[in-house]
């Protein structure tokens, strides 16, 4: 009975602390969805692979979305023709490198500031490296799901005279043409600037409720698992696992992938393990979780082919392991 | 991609009986948001939030209570004017939306019914009280302890000890502090631990700290989890071959559990 009561208190304390950050996260992602135009953003992005990777990784600063919000944004970026390095960098880094997550991590790990900064640093290193690797692939098409490829602008558009193609077109201010029956255009038309502010606001609110509903349920499950592990698993096990430099990292990476908790609130989750696990393990959780987890794989499958997700997963997991192991040995 | 099935056209007459409340997405959303808002308001006004959260961050759930209420209002309004509903763009979901809503609703109702309990000695033992004398995760943020030693709380003492761990340095200093009782299993009968949970952020990271108290009688006189106010002097004793700063009480008084049982 005592244990149940402790578990419930822990559970609600995690929820009460995490829900405000979840609200902020979904509010940002919903507003951006309807008020920021990715097309104009892409125009100013660097084309150089490394610069693109860095720019993409840092874009989260302007798109504070968690790992649930970044896949739709990354997909829109790809469909709009952003370079692959930018899109992959954004996909991996945005859930961590953004002001909301940074603040939440700071709130949680005020006592261990090195975790806050190393989280950002490691995420940047991993995201930029993987994005750079992916930039070797000039044309993203073979890596993407067919549904996404169909929405992308066709590469031969420039060589074929637009007049020779069938369909309905709009002439744009920069001389480009826009095919109306293209799904991407439909998307732009559906959420474009033509709508009055009130309607956009309503759409944003609707989207906010929708995201809150889904992510809230995932958050509840994550918190329940955290509370359960805290209360029910014998302390000796956790300590034995958590104090070993290697197994603690592996355990936390596995936990991160399974729990699928939103990056905006995962620091509070990790906090509940902070007294028993090594700093490297906590970092592994905080760095790896936002990049790949079970929930995220479902979302990623709407964008990439499975083998691409496997590559990203393998690269991210290895780099995360090496970096956090280094932390365990040399930093803390 | 889109998980939304095309909604059947609902005729006004049928709506009241055919569609139960949980089949009305707007109404269900409004209910979920409203209940969560209510739950957060309840934590705020009953002061139970003190058991869950560091006071520095209490404005976060308090603010969220208002935001959630506003969102519930928005959804309710949308329900009233169904004609105006605009469905947002497609959204890939892991869980079916109605399932998510029901989970959220159930947990909100549970939080309305359940009163959080402050952690007690069993949790402290599970979290490892014994090593906490040398372990405080939070670095000391202020060195203001030039004040009288009897004004130090348990955590102040622990922080002071962390900076200068020699117990003899504190011998004879006056102590006055309050906390709850823990009976460490491997300690002799006449010693108990007076302790407090320290919070950095929320109850999830609460960790216990404590100071040993040397009693003249058996510790059975003070049951675990009893709240005590102790006045006395500091001395050094050896418990289980370990020299420790210990309180030698002159006055022990049972007090009710404080409204805010944690220290920060």
């Amino acid at each position: 009975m005592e244990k149940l009561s402790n578990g419930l208190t822990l559970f609600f304390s995690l929820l009460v602390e995490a829900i405000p950050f979840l609200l902020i996260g979904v509010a940002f992602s919903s507003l951006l969805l309807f008020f920021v135009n990715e097309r104009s953003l892409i125009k100013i992005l660097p084309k150089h692979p490394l610069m693109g990777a860095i720019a993409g990784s840092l874009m989260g600063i302007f798109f504070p979305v968690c790992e649930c919000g970044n896949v739709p944004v990354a997909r829109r970026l790809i469909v709009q023709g952003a370079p692959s390095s930018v899109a992959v960098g954004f996909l991996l880094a945005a859930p961590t490198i953004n002001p909301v997550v940074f603040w939440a991590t700071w709130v949680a790990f005020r006592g261990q500031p090195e975790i806050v900064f190393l989280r950002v640093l490691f995420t940047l290193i991993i995201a930029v490296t993987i994005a750079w690797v992916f930039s070797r692939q000039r044309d993203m098409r073979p890596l993407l799901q067919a549904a996404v490829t169909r929405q992308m602008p066709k590469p031969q558009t420039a060589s074929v005279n637009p007049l020779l193609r069938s369909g309905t077109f709009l002439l744009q201010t920069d001389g480009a043409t826009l095919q109306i029956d293209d799904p991407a255009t439909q998307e732009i038309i559906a959420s474009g600037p033509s709508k009055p502010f009130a309607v956009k606001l309503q759409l944003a609110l609707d989207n906010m409720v929708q995201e809150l509903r889904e992510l809230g349920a995932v958050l509840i499950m994550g918190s329940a698992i955290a509370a359960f592990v805290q209360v029910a698993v014998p302390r000796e096990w956790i300590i034995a696992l958590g104090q070993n430099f290697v197994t603690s990292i592996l355990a936390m990476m596995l936990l991160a992938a399974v729990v699928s908790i939103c990056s905006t609130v995962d620091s509070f989750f990790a906090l509940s393990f902070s007294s028993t696990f090594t700093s490297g393990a906590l970092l592994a959780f905080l760095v790896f979780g936002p990049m790949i987890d079970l929930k995220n794989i479902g979302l990623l499958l709407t964008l990439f082919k499975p083998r691409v997700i496997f590559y990203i997963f393998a690269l991210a997991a290895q780099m995360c392991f090496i970096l956090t192991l280094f932390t365990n040995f040399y930093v803390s | 991609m889109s998980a939304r099935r095309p909604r059947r056209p609902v005729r006004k007459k049928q709506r009241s009986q055919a569609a139960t409340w949980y089949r009305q997405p707007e109404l269900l959303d409004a209910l979920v948001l409203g209940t969560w808002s209510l739950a957060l308001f309840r934590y705020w006004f009953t002061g139970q939030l003190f058991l869950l959260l560091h006071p520095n961050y209490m404005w976060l759930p308090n603010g969220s209570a208002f935001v959630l209420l506003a969102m519930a209002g928005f959804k309710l309004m949308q329900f009233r004017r169904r004609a105006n509903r605009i469905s947002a763009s497609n959204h890939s979901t892991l869980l079916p939306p109605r399932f998510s809503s029901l989970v959220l609703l159930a947990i909100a109702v549970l939080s309305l019914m359940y009163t959080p309990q402050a952690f007690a000695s069993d949790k402290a033992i599970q979290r490892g009280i014994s090593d906490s004398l040398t372990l405080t995760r939070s670095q000391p943020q202020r060195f203001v302890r030039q004040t009288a030693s009897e004004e130090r709380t348990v955590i102040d003492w622990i922080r002071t000890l962390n900076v200068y761990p020699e117990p003899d340095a504190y011998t004879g200093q006056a102590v006055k502090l309050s906390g709850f009782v823990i009976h460490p299993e491997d300690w002799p009968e006449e010693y108990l631990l007076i302790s407090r949970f320290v919070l950095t952020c929320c109850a999830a990271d609460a960790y216990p700290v404590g100071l040993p108290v040397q009693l003249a009688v058996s510790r059975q006189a003070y049951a675990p989890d009893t709240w005590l106010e102790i006045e006395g002097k500091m001395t050094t004793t050896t418990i289980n071959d370990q020299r420790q700063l210990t309180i030698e009480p002159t006055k022990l008084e049972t007090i009710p559990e404080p409204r805010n049982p944690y220290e920060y």
Side-chain angles (χ1 to χ4, degrees), chain A residues 196-203:
Chain A
F197 179 78
V199 175
K200 272 189 174 182
L201 194 68
Q202 203 174 349
L203 276 173

Side-chain angles (χ1 to χ4, degrees), chain A residues 121-311:
Chain A
L121 182 69
F122 287 176
T123 306
L124 263 185
I125 294 175
I126 297 174
V128 169
T129 314
I130 296 181
W132 203 9
V133 169
F134 269 80
S135 71
R136 295 294 301 167
Q137 181 82 19
R138 291 259 167 244
D139 186 10
M140 291 278 274
R141 252 158 266 269
L143 308 180
L144 301 173
Q145 292 284 3
V148 183
T149 325
R150 268 202 300 279
Q151 296 185 12
M152 287 175 70
K154 294 178 182 60
Q156 67 270 32
T157 315
S159 57
V160 176
N161 190 322
L163 292 174
L164 298 179
R165 285 191 290 141
S166 59
T168 315
F169 294 87
L170 288 178
L171 188 63
Q172 295 186 289
T173 42
D174 53 1
T177 50
L178 198 64
Q179 191 173 356
I180 283 203
D181 37 3
D182 185 62
T185 317
Q186 293 294 333
E187 178 106 354
I188 295 167
I189 292 168
S191 58
S194 53
K195 274 183 191 150
F197 179 78
V199 175
K200 272 189 174 182
L201 194 68
Q202 203 174 349
L203 276 173
L205 265 170
D206 247 348
N207 189 67
M208 199 171 148
V209 174
Q210 206 177 356
E211 286 192 23
L212 188 67
R213 185 202 300 138
E214 190 203 350
L215 305 181
V218 176
L219 173 68
I220 283 178
M221 289 178 194
S223 308
I225 294 175
F228 178 80
V229 169
Q230 282 287 299
V231 178
V233 177
R235 190 178 142 75
E236 298 78 53
W237 294 12
I238 297 185
I239 289 197
L241 197 66
Q243 291 303 319
N244 184 300
F245 278 3
V246 175
T247 57
S248 66
I249 293 177
L250 293 176
M252 280 312 249
M253 276 169 67
L254 181 70
L255 193 68
V258 172
V259 172
S260 307
I261 197 161
C262 199
S263 69
T264 342
V265 294
D266 62 356
S267 33
F268 303 109
F269 181 97
L271 190 61
S272 63
F273 293 96
S274 61
S275 54
T276 37
F277 273 79
T278 57
S279 313
L282 297 177
L283 266 172
F285 181 88
L286 293 173
V287 171
F288 189 63
M291 292 185 180
I292 302 279
D293 57 42
L294 283 185
K295 172 192 67 183
N296 204 4
I297 286 175
L299 292 175
L300 281 173
L301 274 172
T302 65
L303 177 59
F304 286 121
K305 295 214 168 110
R307 84 189 141 95
V308 179
I309 300 174
F310 178 76
Y311 291 153

Side-chain angles (χ1 to χ4, degrees), chain A residues 3 229-235, chain B residues 121-128:
Chain A
K3 278 199 169 175
V229 169
Q230 282 287 299
V231 178
V233 177
R235 190 178 142 75
Chain B
S121 56
D122 60 328
K123 185 80 193 164
I125 289 166
Q126 200 225 350
R127 288 224 169 174

Side-chain angles (χ1 to χ4, degrees), chain A residues 5 17 206 213-214 235, chain B residues 29 53 75 94 114 126:
Chain A
S5 161
E17 180 69 45
D206 247 348
R213 185 202 300 138
E214 190 203 350
R235 190 178 142 75
Chain B
D29 280 341
L53 220 54
K75 274 288 161 186
L94 178 72
Y114 172 75
Q126 200 225 350

Side-chain angles (χ1 to χ4, degrees), chain A residues 18 123 217 318 320:
Chain A
T123 306
Q318 290 170 29
C320 178

